[in-house]
Amino acid sequence: VMPEMHGLDLAAKILEREQGPSVVLMTGHAAELSGRLEQRDPSLPLLLKPFTSQQLIKTVRKALGDGATDRR
């Protein structure tokens, strides 16, 4: 939990200022943020806690634009 702004607000500020950063949204409080999550840009990957290492890898690859399949 961030004291001064929500993660969605921070992501929007980052994306406004920087050209091409990768952003992954992560939350353990999806029920509390359900209305806010609906307002998010659907192109931003969302990772809900708890998650597995494979879900993390897949989500980060999506954010980076890596279409690679699972490499073990």
Side-chain angles (χ1 to χ4, degrees):
V1 177
M2 295 186 298
E4 296 184 24
M5 71 174 65
H6 292 285
L8 291 172
D9 299 328
L10 177 60
K13 286 185 178 288
I14 291 170
L15 293 171
E16 283 174 7
R17 294 185 64 170
E18 300 293 328
Q19 186 64 20
S22 298
V23 174
V24 173
L25 300 173
M26 178 173 50
T27 184
H29 306 283
E32 294 174 24
L33 298 175
S34 62
R36 299 227 357 118
L37 289 176
E38 292 169 4
Q39 298 170 7
R40 77 179 171 92
D41 179 341
S43 69
L44 294 177
L46 175 62
L47 194 56
L48 299 174
K49 295 176 188 176
F51 52 84
T52 66
S53 59
Q54 289 302 313
Q55 289 170 314
L56 175 61
I57 291 167
K58 180 180 176 182
T59 303
V60 169
R61 284 184 177 159
K62 179 180 177 181
L64 295 174
D66 180 4
T69 57
D70 184 22
R71 299 182 210 136
R72 288 185 187 196

